[in-house]
Structure formats: C-alpha cells, structure tokens
Amino acid sequence: MSAPSIRNVAIIAHVDHGKTTLVDGLLKQAGSFRTGEVVAERAMDSNDLERERGITILSKCTAVTWKGTRINIVDTPGHADFGGEVERVLGMVDSVLLLVDAYEGAMPQTRFVTQKAFEMGLSPIVVVNKIDRPGVDPHQVMDQVFELFMSLGATDKQLDFPVIYASGRQGYAIRELGQTPVDLGPMLDLIVEKVPAADGDTSGPLQMQVATLDYDDYLGYMAIGRMRSGRSKVGDRVLLVHRDGKKEEFRVQKVLGFQGLKRFELAEALAGDIVAFTGMSELNVGETITSITDPRVMPLLKVDAPTITMNFQVNDGPFAGREGKWVTSRNLRERLDREIKSNVALRVEETATAGVFKVSGRGELHLSVLIETMRREGYELCVSQPQVILLRDANGKVTEPYEDAVIDMDEAYSGAVVAELNRRLGIMQDMRPSAQGRTRLEYRIPARGLIGYRSQFMTDTRGTGVLYTQFAEYGLQGADIRTRANGVLVATEEGTSNAYGLFYLQERGQMFIGPSVHVYGGMIVGIHARDNDLVINPSKSKKLTNIRTTAADEKLVLAPPKPMSLEFALEFINDDELVEVTPLSIRLRKQILDHNVRKRYEKKPAEIDD
C-alpha cells in the first residue's frame, strides 16, 4: 500500500474518557472481526492489570482499512504517570483524535496530552464522546476546549479544528448535533478527509526510530515505529544505532504490519507506514534503524524527568523465599535493567547499600504498576516510602515538584476535603459547582502533600469523590507536612495470630490481619488509636486450666480487618517502614525488625542533640 493511502493518527484523552472503548467501535465498524467472533470489551487493554484497573498503561498500535485507505491508530494511556508513553508515540502520527467527555469536559490530563501534541505541530480532531449520557452539555464542553487551546498558544491552523460528536459505547458518530445516529462511519470518513496523508521518501535511505518495543519468545525483540524514509523487506541487512552510540548490523527476519488485534507479515515496509521489525539481538526505545551505506541517526527521544523515587531492595524478612520464585539481588537487578529498556520515563540507580536500588518514576501509580507486574511474575522485594525528587534552582534554593489537583465530589464533603488539602499546603485555584449537588475544586499542591492522601480522600468523600493530579512545575520547597496522624501496632515475635489474641487488642486500634495469619517480629499488624507505635502480641493464646470459668465459652466477635492493597500500603508507610511484596502477600514492616535495636536507634538522635 503506497504512502498516500495511509493515515497515521493517535487517540489522546484524559483517563477514563473512553479511548479504548472507541477503538473497539472503530475496529468493529471497519470489519476487523469475523461475524460471530467473540471479542472482549476494551479489546486493546491486553494485559491483566489494564483490564482490572480499567486504564491503559501501554500504548498499542492497531490498523483498520476503510474505503481503500489504511488507518494506523495508536491507543495511548490517559494517566499522567504514563506520560512517557504518550510523548514518544505522538512522534509516529500526523494528527490526533482528542477525546473529551461530554459530561466532565476538559480535565487536567486533557491539557497535558494536548500540549504535547501542539509542541509537535499536530492539528487535532476533537471528538466529544459519551453524548448519550444524561445531563451532558456539548456546547459548553466545546467552549472549554476552545479556551484550553487558546491558553496553550495554539496556531490559527490548530484552532480551526473539525469536531465530531460520538458515543463509543453505542457505536455511532454524527457531524452535527441533532443528526440521526447510524454508526461510526462518519468518524472514519473524517479521519481520511482531515488527517494528512503519510509522507516519506520511499527512494531515500532507510530511517526508523523505535517508538515502542515488544518481546516474543520465538521472534525475540520487535522494534515498532514509523518508517521515516526508505523501504525494507525481509532479508535486508540494516544498521541499529544504540543509545550509547554502539552499532549493530542485523538481518531483518520479519516485517510485521498491524490489522485489528493481530500482526501480519508484510512483503515490504514503505516510508510513512507504522511497522515492526525483528532480528536484532538487543533493543532500547528511542534507537534508530537505518541504512548501512548511508546511515541517518535520529536524535534520542526527550522525556520529562521523574518526580518520585523509592528504594527497591531484596526481601530480608523472616518469610523471605517462601512464596516467590525470584528473590536475590541479581534477579532484581536483571528485572529492573529489562524494564528501563522499554519504560523510558523510569530511572534506576545503584546505592551504597548492596541489594538496594533507587528507582525513580513519574508518580506513585507509575511505580506501583511496576511493582504489581513484578510480583505477578514471581518476584519478592521490599519497597520504601515514596519520596519526591528535590532540585536546586539557579539561586541555589531547594525546589520540589508541585501538582495540579482537580477534585469532583458531593457538596456535603467539601469542608473536610478543603481542610485536609490546606493542611497539606495546598493552594486553592478555583471552586465551582460541576453538576447538581456536586462541587469541583482545583488546587496547586506539593507532590509530597498528595503522598498518602488518596485513601483518606476516599474515606472523607465516602467513596463518591474523584481525584485527578497532574505535574505542574518545580517550586520553592514548603514547610514540613505530617501526613500520618496515627502510630502503628507492631508484632513483637513470630507466631500465628488467633481470635483470643486479636480480640483483646481491638480496642487499641484497627487491625490489618485476621486470625490464623503468620506474623513475625517487626511486622505491622494494625493502626494504633494514638500517635505512637505500640508493640503487641497477636499470637497470644489462652492459658488452658482444668477449672471452667463463667467466661469459658464466651463468644469472641472480631471486627473485620482493613483490606490491604498495594496503593494503600505505599501511601500508608512512614520513612522507617517498608512494604514487603510477594506473589501471594503484601505485608507492612519496620525497617529494623528487632524491637530492642529499634528503640536504641530511636534514642540515638536525641543523645546527639544533648
């Protein structure tokens, strides 16, 4: 297929505005599925974590053929923590479909991804999605989008954007409000009409930058990207220029194109198309595949710097190695080295302590997804409290990352939320009604003020609030913030918890564990009702005697333990605590397990001050 009959487009939007559902509809509209074929909802969310969380984590390519034109579609993540994925895939396309929810309007992540698209000179097609929802106001949403484009410094060409109204779930699109909806054909027609045809010099030297990569047990590494110039077919010898400047010659084993949810072999790849090459022995994102005789190396991809860091270390607790398959520091280093090849927004550094690695990312979600992926692969590790990355400005003053937070909630809970955000050094930017009985708040807040806040926010709003955050800028470091008001309940020795031991500890605080759970000394088993830590023994058993007492058959009623998720655990811990992550368990523990050693360590700073 020649370049003039190819269109390359990416779908960008705020998280949960319906990108992946719309791609499902476009695939069905273009006949990518057989009649009667059973297709899972959100078919492009291919890994388990994406399906469970309902978010896109990895960008993915697909393609449909519509009226003789091949349309390459890239589905991008909507969450700011995966912005590294968005930045590099936008370089593969000639236009973007900007999805905006007809109910929620332009949200923080809409601003982020649109700004990236404008910086690359891309002109958007605005899709007002979910117009079938009750209470929507598409005209107001269009006003918000126009204001957003103006504030981002859009050019006249970018401001003259086409608009289409759609419902991805219902599978229809209309050019004008009030038209009778039929199917998504009008949207595919608009893409063919408005997106520039893929350009590229097919007679020039081969040039392709690796925008994303995949790995297959049979094919090895797959370099996925857009052909900038030239052509290539199976058997050609080409040059791969690595990030460090090393050059590797390899023979192209397969050239793969995309169609629907499948890859298929191409006879030849032409400039302008999005394809995958196999045959290389090593590969990293951002590297260049080019001609051996006339090499043209493209500049490496620029990605925003990380803002959050935490330590990953070997699990050295008493239960180490019981549940995991990969438990040594060598296993941990190999896995992290493999991750940074494809996850360009991640940074991994060695520390002075053996077996401890400093891992930096774009946010808590970015790092928690990596941890969750590793535990599902059979790794055991301990991770420390997330910390923000501090920098010094030109005057030598310490600066820290600030985030823009947008909160949507019921009016009744706004008082508690405002009070807590103010305590965490947040500065209110805007407060307005968003719908009947609901309020929208906009805050500028230090990133460290948001660590540990999400779980409290869900409690304060009784699960009805929605919190979106987006990195804004580095600003002067503020005052200290005390995020956790309560101490913890720490087990004093190894054993198995029982109903008798837990029953008499309930008045001390809220428990993380129920009966018949194996615990060890230094493991955190609950939240103390007061602000200090308390050492307890949940394994304490009832002493049996041959004398029956009046309370001998007393029924012990236990309150249900607080459920432990990985996100809650990372937000909850203090700087002297760790989260122990294994394939089967998530435990909280003190860094120093022995209570006596811990007490001596706590006293040392006070002795020095004296």
Side-chain angles (χ1 to χ4, degrees):
M1 191 170 277
S2 63
S5 57
I6 294 174
R7 303 289 187 275
N8 297 320
V9 64
I11 298 189
I12 61 175
H14 185 81
V15 64
D16 203 30
H17 277 196
K19 294 182 301 301
T20 308
T21 305
L22 183 66
V23 173
D24 281 0
L26 294 175
L27 291 172
K28 289 173 185 169
Q29 180 69 44
S32 297
F33 305 128
R34 298 189 312 273
T35 303
E37 182 178 354
V38 177
V39 182
E41 191 178 348
R42 300 194 321 277
M44 292 292 285
D45 284 347
S46 51
N47 72 42
D48 291 342
L49 267 179
E50 291 181 315
R51 303 197 71 79
E52 287 170 21
R53 295 169 183 246
I55 60 173
T56 302
I57 294 170
L58 301 170
S59 58
K60 301 174 194 69
C61 300
T62 186
V64 297
T65 303
W66 182 251
K67 297 180 180 177
T69 300
R70 178 178 168 79
I71 303 173
N72 289 312
I73 303 171
V74 185
D75 184 19
T76 64
H79 201 285
D81 284 15
F82 308 111
E85 289 278 323
V86 178
E87 288 163 39
R88 62 176 202 256
V89 299
L90 288 180
M92 292 198 293
V93 299
D94 299 305
S95 182
V96 291
L97 289 181
L98 174 63
L99 249 73
V100 184
D101 190 311
Y103 185 80
E104 293 186 349
M107 296 294 279
Q109 184 68 4
T110 312
R111 183 184 188 89
F112 171 79
V113 290
T114 308
Q115 186 172 5
K116 295 292 179 191
F118 282 175
E119 285 171 5
M120 295 184 173
L122 301 176
S123 297
I125 296 173
V126 175
V127 182
V128 181
N129 195 30
K130 303 187 184 180
I131 60 169
D132 56 321
R133 281 182 67 175
V136 298
D137 188 351
H139 295 294
Q140 183 182 349
V141 168
M142 286 308 305
D143 290 343
Q144 288 182 15
V145 171
F146 194 82
E147 288 173 15
L148 172 67
F149 286 9
M150 291 288 287
S151 69
L152 293 175
T155 63
D156 290 344
K157 183 183 175 186
Q158 288 167 334
L159 285 174
D160 187 21
F161 54 87
V163 183
I164 193 162
Y165 304 91
S167 168
R169 185 173 290 278
Q170 299 294 331
Y172 66 80
I174 49 177
R175 296 276 188 116
E176 300 288 343
L177 290 171
Q179 289 181 346
T180 305
V182 180
D183 55 22
L184 285 169
M187 186 178 295
L188 291 168
D189 290 335
L190 189 66
I191 291 171
V192 173
E193 180 187 324
K194 296 292 184 182
V195 176
D199 60 346
D201 181 10
T202 54
S203 59
L206 172 66
Q207 190 182 43
M208 182 181 104
Q209 187 162 39
V210 182
T212 183
L213 58 84
D214 203 349
Y215 187 82
D216 185 275
D217 289 337
Y218 299 101
L219 300 175
Y221 282 109
M222 290 185 214
I224 302 169
R226 175 178 175 169
M227 293 273 290
R228 290 291 167 190
S229 69
R231 53 177 67 207
S232 182
K233 58 183 185 296
V234 174
D236 286 355
R237 289 199 67 78
V238 297
L239 184 69
L240 172 63
V241 183
H242 290 291
R243 296 183 78 89
D244 56 7
K246 286 196 301 184
K247 297 178 179 179
E248 174 194 343
E249 288 187 21
F250 71 96
R251 189 176 72 84
V252 178
Q253 291 183 351
K254 285 190 187 301
V255 179
L256 301 172
F258 300 90
Q259 188 70 31
L261 301 179
K262 302 177 180 69
R263 297 189 182 107
F264 66 98
E265 293 188 35
L266 291 170
E268 189 176 37
L270 298 175
D273 206 353
I274 294 175
V275 295
F277 284 164
T278 68
M280 66 288 296
S281 59
E282 281 293 319
L283 187 65
N284 285 292
V285 166
E287 298 177 343
T288 304
I289 296 173
T290 186
S291 164
I292 295 174
T293 55
D294 187 7
R296 305 280 179 92
V297 182
M298 299 180 71
L300 291 172
L301 294 165
K302 177 184 171 293
V303 178
D304 288 352
T307 58
I308 294 283
T309 184
M310 59 173 72
N311 288 338
F312 284 36
Q313 66 187 63
V314 173
N315 182 11
D316 59 356
F319 296 169
R322 292 190 184 182
E323 299 172 2
K325 182 180 176 185
W326 313 105
V327 296
T328 65
S329 62
R330 181 175 59 83
N331 297 146
L332 200 55
R333 182 187 291 108
E334 287 174 354
R335 178 64 182 83
L336 291 172
D337 286 344
R338 197 163 73 244
E339 183 68 22
I340 57 177
K341 288 185 176 182
S342 59
N343 197 338
V344 291
L346 199 73
R347 302 280 184 275
V348 178
E349 303 167 47
E350 299 266 358
T351 64
T353 310
V356 180
F357 304 92
K358 183 180 177 183
V359 181
S360 307
R362 293 284 280 264
E364 278 182 272
L365 183 62
H366 185 198
L367 295 175
S368 70
V369 164
L370 171 60
I371 296 165
E372 182 66 34
T373 305
M374 289 175 67
R375 73 182 284 238
R376 293 183 183 207
E377 293 172 358
Y379 286 85
E380 275 193 24
L381 67 155
C382 287
V383 293
S384 68
Q385 181 192 40
Q387 302 280 353
V388 298
I389 297 174
L390 303 176
L391 300 175
R392 290 193 180 273
D393 62 11
N395 301 320
K397 294 183 178 178
V398 178
T399 61
E400 63 174 332
Y402 280 75
E403 307 228 350
D404 284 331
V406 176
I407 295 148
D408 209 58
M409 63 192 164
D410 289 345
E411 281 177 11
Y413 308 125
S414 57
V417 171
V418 167
E420 183 59 24
L421 286 173
N422 290 345
R423 191 183 73 78
R424 291 169 178 262
L425 306 185
I427 300 169
M428 187 186 292
Q429 309 281 336
D430 192 15
M431 181 177 184
R432 64 180 186 275
S434 62
Q436 188 68 36
R438 288 182 71 83
T439 300
R440 180 172 293 180
L441 299 174
E442 293 184 13
Y443 266 82
R444 176 68 58 88
I445 184 169
R448 62 194 167 97
L450 289 167
I451 294 175
Y453 178 58
R454 285 183 189 274
S455 52
Q456 182 180 342
F457 171 74
M458 295 310 289
T459 303
D460 288 345
T461 61
R462 306 297 187 270
T464 63
V466 183
L467 170 64
Y468 297 115
T469 59
Q470 166 67 48
F471 172 72
E473 62 177 0
Y474 266 85
L476 290 178
Q477 186 179 19
D480 286 341
I481 305 170
R482 188 180 180 195
T483 53
R484 195 173 82 192
N486 295 65
V488 290
L489 303 174
V490 186
T492 183
E493 61 187 43
E494 190 169 334
T496 304
S497 62
N498 59 66
Y500 178 80
L502 293 173
F503 180 75
Y504 293 101
L505 292 173
Q506 287 184 138
E507 61 190 28
R508 297 289 191 176
Q510 187 175 18
M511 307 304 295
F512 290 147
I513 61 169
S516 304
V517 175
H518 296 296
V519 299
Y520 55 81
M523 179 173 158
I524 297 171
V525 296
I527 307 173
H528 192 198
R530 298 185 178 180
D531 61 359
N532 63 310
D533 294 346
L534 183 68
V535 176
I536 60 169
N537 183 12
S539 309
K540 181 180 179 182
S541 56
K542 185 176 182 181
K543 296 291 182 283
L544 300 177
T545 68
N546 58 358
I547 303 170
R548 291 179 70 99
T549 65
T550 54
D553 299 317
E554 182 180 18
K555 187 176 181 182
L556 303 179
V557 179
L558 295 178
K562 187 175 181 66
M564 179 73 65
S565 68
L566 180 60
E567 275 77 16
F568 170 79
L570 292 174
E571 292 174 351
F572 179 79
I573 57 173
N574 272 345
D575 54 6
D576 65 334
E577 297 160 1
L578 298 171
V579 181
E580 180 183 329
V581 181
T582 73
L584 302 179
S585 311
I586 295 173
R587 304 183 185 96
L588 302 182
R589 49 163 281 193
K590 290 288 186 180
Q591 285 190 1
I592 302 170
L593 297 176
D594 187 285
H595 174 59
N596 295 319
V597 177
R598 198 161 61 243
K599 292 303 287 182
R600 280 204 305 273
Y601 183 80
E602 288 169 2
K603 287 177 182 175
K604 276 183 182 176
E607 292 166 5
I608 292 169
D609 290 342
D610 292 341

